[in-house]
Amino acid sequence: MTDDETVDIREVQTVKLRHSKGSIVVRITDAIRAAGVEDGSFRFDPHAAEEIGMVPAIAMEERVDGRTDPLTCSIHHEGAGGTMSISLPRDVLEELGIDPDGIDWDNPPELNVWAGDQLLAFELPDERTVQVSRGGDSKDDA
């Protein structure tokens, strides 16, 4: 994918951050599959958040870990069920407004995960206020 290529994305899932082996991870099997990826890595672009309002991550065929490139993480496969997860780099969390050192693990933040061809994108969920009528006779509404 070139820098000027456009990719359509759709919201796939909302997930809670998890703490695993010293990293902050998200289990995003559905999103990774929706991106058309089963193995490899994702390279994050946290600075794109200013322009598009979310942090994109582009798929790479090779497996690269955060020690080689701090903005790249490999897909981790967990258990026999095929669960896939990725680690989120500190820069990505900070760009999303999450302090990696201040996470309340009893109530961790959630992220919306979007997917397109060879692409993931992450954002904080919007809070919405919805008014629902609790009263009234539904027969009159028909």
Side-chain angles (χ1 to χ4, degrees):
M1 178 166 36
T2 61
D3 288 340
D4 60 349
E5 192 174 333
T6 303
V7 175
D8 290 328
I9 62 173
R10 66 181 179 85
E11 188 174 354
V12 177
Q13 62 188 118
T14 300
V15 295
K16 288 189 179 220
L17 297 182
R18 297 178 176 272
H19 195 261
S20 176
K21 300 176 187 171
S23 296
I24 297 173
V25 301
V26 285
R27 290 183 179 157
I28 55 170
T29 304
D30 294 342
I32 291 172
R33 287 189 177 136
V37 181
E38 289 290 327
D39 202 17
S41 303
F42 283 94
R43 180 151 202 317
F44 293 89
D45 183 3
H47 304 294
E50 287 181 33
E51 183 179 338
I52 64 173
M54 54 181 65
V55 176
I58 299 171
M60 302 168 44
E61 289 184 17
E62 62 272 7
R63 293 184 61 79
V64 179
D65 65 26
R67 292 171 286 197
T68 306
D69 179 352
L71 291 176
T72 302
C73 66
S74 293
I75 298 169
H76 302 286
H77 296 265
E78 303 172 12
T83 301
M84 292 183 272
S85 65
I86 59 173
S87 299
L88 297 177
R90 177 177 281 277
D91 288 353
V92 169
L93 294 167
E94 289 173 350
E95 188 62 42
L96 291 169
I98 298 170
D99 175 7
D101 299 319
I103 294 173
D104 174 4
W105 291 110
D106 291 330
N107 186 24
E110 292 183 332
L111 294 177
N112 288 341
V113 186
W114 296 68
D117 183 30
Q118 304 291 302
L119 177 77
L120 297 174
F122 299 85
E123 69 175 352
L124 290 176
D126 289 333
E127 289 190 22
R128 300 178 191 174
T129 302
V130 179
Q131 293 183 353
V132 177
S133 174
R134 293 181 187 227
D137 189 352
S138 61
K139 292 177 189 173
D140 293 337
D141 295 336

